[in-house]
Amino acid sequence: MSNARATHLTRRGILAAGGAVGLGAVLAACGDDDPKSGGSADKSKAAASGPWTFKDDRDETVKLDKVPANIVAFTGVAAALFDYGIEVKGVFGPTKTKDGKADVQAGDMDVSKVTVLGNAYGQFNVEKYATLAPDVLISTMFDDAGTLWYVPAESKDKIAKLAPSVAVSVYDRQLPEPLERMLALAESLGADVKAAKIVEAKKNFETAAERLRAAAKARPEIKVLAGSASQDIFYVSGSNLSIDLEYFKALGVNLVEPPAKVLKASGGWFENLSWENVDKYPADIIIMDDRTATIQPADITEATWKKLPAVKAGQVIGRTPEPILSYAKCTPMLNNLAEAIEKAKKVA
């Protein structure tokens, strides 16, 4: 994808492209998105066979006669629900890699047991979706306009007619908030949120957060940069808008980022650099986008990358721009960054 193409994205295309969010989507399809309204979300418990109500992050309430049984969800949402004991019938979004294995965004799901309606950005088999007789469709939102992530603009109206939708926002807020929303959604769908495994997972997350806070406080001089790699572009993420980076910053992590006036061109998400300018922002640690549509650090051959102090020092770790919203999956993110800061050499 050329520099020219990357800088002429619509607002929603930017959301799909950003080093902070769905870069994988643009790398895979370079398309536009736009979803349909029709969701729900509230914290009230649903009886196993009684009516179901949920008021979602669009302030829309879904009411059904019974708890949804046929659930279709964005892959990352399905993976989070799976961690809470809720299984879905169908998924859309990065689910399988080219060799048929589970994508990183599929978490612990057995991807051979779910119906994949689309594995890449812009793909959604509406006919197959209809055969699942969906009770509800669940996805995330990367904007404040009600756009359902990975629901294609060209088919959103048809999709919306088949079942109500629920949206969990991952836009311009810190990680704990969408984690709480996903837990509440799982509870409404029948998850036992007081189960020892779930209680322990939440406690572990809180412990990891305190570890990261302590590490950042002890090593304020350590600069951390969030990057994402494509063939022609190195994306440097801003610390606002993304749920993980906003939280890291709130915990005291010294994030290196482009100035606001530069980020403005991408709607606040990122700055795209040529590989010749990859050293524009000195950093001691680089956290790199781990999604399969991006180039991973071990596969980057650019000489300018290999000369970066953080790279030469071996201080490059993974970053998950689209976290699976369960406490169990998000805890390693915090611990890995905390450990990196604790052990980092000052090289920038």
Side-chain angles (χ1 to χ4, degrees):
M1 188 167 66
S2 68
N3 279 325
R5 190 169 188 179
T7 54
H8 287 78
L9 298 167
T10 65
R11 180 172 182 273
R12 293 189 173 93
I14 286 171
L15 290 177
V21 263
L23 171 61
V26 158
L27 295 178
C30 282
D32 241 324
D33 72 340
D34 193 351
K36 183 72 178 176
S37 175
S40 58
D42 211 358
K43 290 186 178 180
S44 58
K45 291 184 178 180
S49 60
W52 183 77
T53 300
F54 197 75
K55 183 180 180 184
D56 77 356
D57 290 341
R58 297 168 298 185
D59 287 330
E60 297 184 7
T61 301
V62 171
K63 296 181 180 181
L64 300 175
D65 293 337
K66 60 181 181 178
V67 178
N70 294 341
I71 302 169
V72 173
F74 171 67
T75 302
V77 170
L81 292 176
F82 183 86
D83 283 357
Y84 292 131
I86 305 299
E87 298 189 26
V88 306
K89 292 293 181 67
V91 297
F92 54 96
T95 307
K96 297 180 180 180
T97 57
K98 292 180 180 180
D99 58 5
K101 296 181 180 179
D103 186 275
V104 64
Q105 291 185 257
D108 295 330
M109 285 193 301
D110 184 344
V111 296
S112 68
K113 294 183 178 180
V114 293
T115 299
V116 181
L117 303 175
N119 199 58
Y121 194 74
Q123 297 178 359
F124 193 113
N125 189 318
V126 181
E127 290 73 21
K128 188 180 290 186
Y129 177 55
T131 65
L132 295 177
D135 295 320
V136 67
L137 179 147
I138 310 172
S139 190
T140 51
M141 295 189 302
F142 279 99
D143 64 14
D144 56 5
T147 304
L148 293 174
W149 192 232
Y150 268 73
V151 173
E154 60 273 16
S155 55
K156 65 183 181 67
D157 292 337
K158 292 180 180 179
I159 293 169
K161 291 178 181 178
L162 294 171
S165 62
V166 167
V168 175
S169 180
V170 290
Y171 173 74
D172 193 17
R173 60 203 61 206
Q174 295 177 25
L175 181 59
E177 184 176 347
L179 277 172
E180 291 170 1
R181 297 295 289 132
M182 188 61 70
L183 184 64
L185 175 59
E187 181 179 21
S188 77
L189 294 169
D192 179 7
V193 300
K194 294 183 179 180
K197 181 179 179 180
I198 294 176
V199 172
E200 182 179 5
K202 186 173 183 180
K203 182 179 180 180
N204 290 341
F205 175 84
E206 293 167 349
T207 299
E210 289 307 311
R211 179 186 179 185
L212 180 54
R213 188 194 304 275
K217 184 177 181 179
R219 304 293 307 279
E221 76 281 7
I222 299 299
K223 297 180 179 180
V224 179
L225 179 145
S228 190
S230 69
Q231 182 176 352
D232 301 316
I233 301 170
F234 182 77
Y235 295 86
V236 179
S237 297
S239 65
N240 294 325
L241 305 183
S242 297
I243 57 174
D244 63 329
L245 299 184
E246 282 202 18
Y247 191 44
F248 296 163
K249 189 173 183 178
L251 292 173
V253 175
N254 184 2
L255 289 169
V256 179
E257 60 184 314
K261 63 181 180 180
V262 174
L263 292 171
K264 186 177 181 180
S266 69
W269 293 103
F270 64 93
E271 177 181 1
N272 56 305
L273 301 175
S274 65
W275 284 103
E276 290 76 15
N277 296 314
V278 73
D279 60 353
K280 182 176 180 179
Y281 299 103
D284 301 293
I285 297 171
I286 301 176
I287 54 177
M288 289 291 290
D289 190 336
D290 69 355
R291 287 169 295 183
T292 53
T294 67
I295 300 176
Q296 297 305 299
D299 299 319
I300 299 175
T301 59
E302 301 289 342
T304 49
W305 164 262
K306 294 181 178 180
K307 292 179 181 178
L308 293 177
V311 176
K312 293 172 67 175
Q315 295 177 174
V316 178
I317 65 172
R319 176 202 168 204
T320 306
E322 292 186 62
I324 293 172
L325 295 173
S326 73
Y327 290 102
K329 290 296 185 295
C330 289
T331 297
M333 295 166 43
L334 305 181
N335 279 326
N336 291 343
L337 181 53
E339 181 178 9
I341 293 174
E342 291 163 355
K343 296 181 177 179
K345 297 178 181 178
K346 181 64 184 173
V347 296

